[in-house]
Amino acid sequence: MTHPEQPNTEPQDEELQENKYLRRIRSFVLREGRLTKGQQRSLDLFWPTMGLEHQATPYDMKAVFGREADLVLEIGFGMGKSLVQMAKAAPDKDFIGIEVHKPGVGACLGEAETEGVKNLRVFEHDAIEILNDSIADNSLSTVQLFFPDPWHKKRHHKRRIVQAEFARLLRRKLKIGGVFHMATDWENYAEHMLEVMKVAEGYSNLSETNDYVPRPDHRPLTKFENRGVNLGHGVWDLMFKKVD
């Protein structure tokens, strides 16, 4: 993510003001790596059928997938291995991944083809713009945000994607009963997420203790996470349901 500018203070429609502010926030820091031959091949071969382009109007996901099903959207899927695993394990659901790093997109497409996954589509674009422009309101069953950039230095905390404005944006996109699922291995960021979401209107914490939830079975344990757990590092999952 880049450092968000301050919003224009001139009076205007509240939703328009919020959208303008969110468009300045980036859901990533671009650290583009070099594509391998395999990743480039996957992009060339599979993007035409699995790739989605940013557009100014919401997609008809029933037309995109050829059916009507619960829709899961993941922001920042990295190399895509766990996203493909989740899509393969839940063939009754449709999955959308958003990632800005081309090597990760290529790797995800190749993995999906290898695993025979057909219920997955991907964007290579900024998540905030995709959510604002290309995803219909009240359409998502789940939004997943796993291990986002923690911006661990205190002076950089304002760059974290989980902010009040972001929670309001997701509330518009989620169906009633839809869930915003976050995970992080930075305790301070987990506390920040919890603080933001506790006061966000229209959500209910699914934690029995009103804080964190155990890792659900549907979220795969990544190699990175498993290594951290073996070293004694903590991981925190948060799940908040849209209730109105």
Side-chain angles (χ1 to χ4, degrees), residues 3-213:
H3 188 90
E5 302 172 17
Q6 292 300 314
N8 189 339
T9 56
E10 294 179 4
Q12 55 186 298
D13 179 83
E14 182 178 351
E15 184 171 321
L16 179 61
Q17 171 77 2
E18 179 179 307
N19 283 347
K20 283 187 175 182
Y21 179 74
L22 279 169
R23 286 176 192 278
R24 297 186 182 115
I25 299 174
R26 288 291 179 264
S27 59
F28 59 91
V29 173
L30 192 58
R31 304 185 184 95
E32 195 66 90
R34 182 175 295 179
L35 282 164
T36 66
K37 289 182 179 179
Q39 291 163 357
Q40 184 63 65
R41 177 180 178 276
S42 293
L43 285 165
D44 293 340
L45 291 177
F46 310 130
W47 180 264
T49 54
M50 295 181 61
L52 296 176
E53 301 288 350
H54 170 257
Q55 64 180 38
T57 56
Y59 278 90
D60 177 355
M61 293 302 174
K62 184 177 180 180
V64 168
F65 288 98
R67 64 175 184 174
E68 193 165 342
D70 284 347
L71 191 59
V72 180
L73 182 144
E74 179 163 337
I75 298 171
F77 56 75
M79 302 305 282
K81 192 172 184 66
S82 64
L83 177 58
V84 170
Q85 288 177 359
M86 285 184 282
K88 185 176 182 178
D92 58 319
K93 298 179 180 179
D94 291 329
F95 289 76
I96 296 174
I98 306 176
E99 179 57 63
V100 295
H101 304 291
K102 194 178 290 291
V105 174
C108 181
L109 294 176
E111 183 78 10
E113 178 66 19
T114 298
E115 295 296 328
V117 169
K118 304 300 182 185
N119 57 331
L120 173 64
R121 302 291 185 272
V122 298
F123 286 98
E124 184 195 345
H125 200 81
D126 173 56
I128 301 299
E129 292 187 356
I130 294 299
L131 285 163
N132 269 315
D133 301 338
S134 305
I135 302 297
D137 290 353
N138 304 301
S139 65
L140 302 176
S141 297
T142 306
V143 174
Q144 299 177 167
L145 180 70
F146 299 153
F147 306 102
D149 193 324
W151 293 105
H152 57 278
K153 293 182 179 179
K154 188 173 182 179
R155 68 178 183 273
H156 292 157
H157 285 184
K158 66 181 69 175
R159 303 186 188 185
R160 291 171 168 175
I161 190 172
V162 179
Q163 306 288 353
E165 296 87 354
F166 184 66
R168 286 194 288 270
L169 173 60
L170 293 190
R171 182 186 173 197
R172 293 210 323 270
K173 302 303 169 179
L174 285 165
K175 297 178 178 179
I176 295 292
V179 173
F180 178 28
H181 181 188
M182 297 154 277
T184 181
D185 56 348
W186 282 82
E187 185 173 13
N188 177 265
Y189 199 0
E191 293 168 348
H192 170 87
M193 290 172 169
L194 186 60
E195 181 180 345
V196 169
M197 295 305 299
K198 270 186 172 181
V199 297
E201 293 184 5
Y203 289 96
S204 175
N205 194 345
L206 294 181
S207 167
E208 294 181 355
T209 52
N210 205 35
D211 47 17
Y212 311 109
V213 299

Side-chain angles (χ1 to χ4, degrees), residues 212-230:
Y212 311 109
V213 299
R215 179 182 65 85
D217 291 339
H218 65 259
R219 182 174 75 74
L221 189 66
T222 66
K223 288 182 180 179
F224 170 81
E225 182 181 356
N226 195 45
R227 184 167 63 247
V229 170
N230 289 337

